[in-house]
Amino acid sequence: MERHDAIVIGAGLNGLTAAASLARAGLGVLVLDRNAAPGGLSASHEIAPGFRVPRYVLGAGGLPARLVADLDLARHGLRFVRAEGGVTIFPDGRYHASYRDGDVHRRELARFSRRDADAWTRYRRDMLRAARALTPLLEGAVEFPVTRGLSALRVRLGLADKVAAIDTDERRDALRLWALSAAEFLDSYFESDDVKAHLAAAAMMGGTLGPLSPASAGRLSTPWLAARGDAYGGAPDILLPHGGPAALTSALVAVIEAHGGRLRMDAEVTDVAMRDLKVRGVVLANGEEIGASVVLSGLDLKRSFLSLFQWKDLPDGLVGRVGRFRMKGATAKVNLALDAAPEFPGLPQGCPSVAGGLRLAGSIGEMQHAFDDWRARIPPRNPPIEVLIPSLSDATLAPAGCHVLSALVQYVPETLHDGPWNAERREALGDLVVARLEATSPGIAGRIVAREVLLAADLEDQIGLTAGDIAHGETTLDQMFVNRPLPGTGGYDTELENFHVCSPSAHPGPLLPGQAGANAAARVLALHRKRR
């Protein structure tokens, strides 16, 4: 029987990051995935000949700088383009742009409120402070063991030391950030409703909280986790992998293969082989068995346990605990191929913020109404939409003179209260998005040469993501930090020896792309060294 030191199930971003980390450490690694190409949520797709677009996600972002350096991804061709922080276009045609330059950004804020321009320094200072306090907790496990013993005591003391190292003011600010709603938190800094809506719209995308939901303010910190500089700078920039997310995937694959690892696509894992609660390997759909000293699952928590194991073989109560882990689809994806560049006459000529993305959103109240519709499973009527035109920064993604457009539609129910998502309703959603784009970019409808509308069910069917939840589980406070993936864990070990979760269902979730995979690999390597 074929055997490896480690098998990683799933060739998504976190699975590949875990595999690359393990391979660089000298372990024999095999990555298995049921799809024809790696990438998972970040997979690229040719919507029309020559038009490449990230199929399931927006396409911005990349691994944290430390991981890029640790994995030496630049040597394998990975490059990033830095873009301005994007622009929100409101229904009446007004706009609010974000700029990296602090002076320019404050002038933009002053168009809405001179007081808010002055308040920006305090807001940026506090966001940078929150990010500094949060980052050390994200770059490692935060498990808080419920068992007794010396090793468990050491873990508790280590976590206590991390918390104690945080400045008192920073701890106080962190509590506010993770307790208040986004609306309440922003009210304490700004007076302009447009400024607050601009910041809230960026934070709510991809999540299952509304701007008035308790603890939703925590999502405001995400763009700042990679930000640098002092309080006098502007808004965080946007990182775009040159070549799209597929370029990041290719670089990770290159690292794995350069260190002796292997990928097998079209290789679906249907069972995890186990004896005496110890995992021994995997079984593929074709019946092939492959042995391994350790197995890491890049699948979401529910898929990792409820589809890969016989429930009767799992420890008592585990199936119920996994079943209570909440996963909810809240987004849809619309991809467009355009035969010419879209124009935005309501924006300044050559506005650089467009390259960082467009948000089509109304007031905080209107966003909350869209959230309430989602909770009631009502078809979207006025959803927030985030748009990226990656070909503005990377001409390799489309034929000369042409462009691709990636739109993430927020607060789209996985299931509807009054019937299924049929073909007619799917196309109606696509029409709604195009109509919203047409209102800000007249003529764009006539430039469309191909269109694709993807719902939560498509993500579940095509890449096996439960409920189409792109966050791999709700990011409410009761499912984050020590409670992710299950209460009291905050780590990557499971109740099954030699089986680890390395997907965003584990800590830190989607807050830092690839970090769950890197953290899980670090845990596996620590156990490997201990055994040796």
Side-chain angles (χ1 to χ4, degrees), residues 364-416:
I364 282 182
E366 288 170 326
M367 281 185 265
Q368 184 66 28
H369 285 316
F371 170 73
D372 292 338
D373 280 354
W374 171 75
R375 287 203 303 179
R377 297 187 291 124
I378 295 171
R381 293 177 285 187
N382 187 29
I385 302 171
E386 187 162 15
V387 176
L388 187 68
I389 310 172
S391 48
L392 291 176
S393 302
D394 184 357
T396 66
L397 299 176
C402 300
H403 289 273
V404 288
L405 184 148
S406 175
L408 194 68
V409 190
Q410 179 65 10
Y411 302 136
V412 179
E414 177 196 356
T415 58
L416 300 175

Side-chain angles (χ1 to χ4, degrees), residues 331-454:
T331 59
K333 184 75 192 303
V334 177
N335 300 318
L336 301 178
L338 306 174
D339 62 10
E343 299 172 354
F344 299 95
L347 300 179
Q349 184 70 27
C351 178
S353 294
V354 172
L358 300 160
R359 284 178 290 276
L360 310 181
S363 67
I364 282 182
E366 288 170 326
M367 281 185 265
Q368 184 66 28
H369 285 316
F371 170 73
D372 292 338
D373 280 354
W374 171 75
R375 287 203 303 179
R377 297 187 291 124
I378 295 171
R381 293 177 285 187
N382 187 29
I385 302 171
E386 187 162 15
V387 176
L388 187 68
I389 310 172
S391 48
L392 291 176
S393 302
D394 184 357
T396 66
L397 299 176
C402 300
H403 289 273
V404 288
L405 184 148
S406 175
L408 194 68
V409 190
Q410 179 65 10
Y411 302 136
V412 179
E414 177 196 356
T415 58
L416 300 175
H417 74 102
D418 60 348
W421 274 105
N422 54 29
E424 181 180 355
R425 282 179 155 175
R426 178 192 296 267
E427 291 309 307
L429 179 61
D431 292 343
L432 182 152
V433 172
V434 171
R436 293 276 296 279
L437 288 168
E438 182 73 20
T440 60
S441 179
I444 194 172
R447 297 184 172 105
I448 298 173
V449 296
R451 182 175 93 173
E452 180 180 48
V453 181
L454 296 170

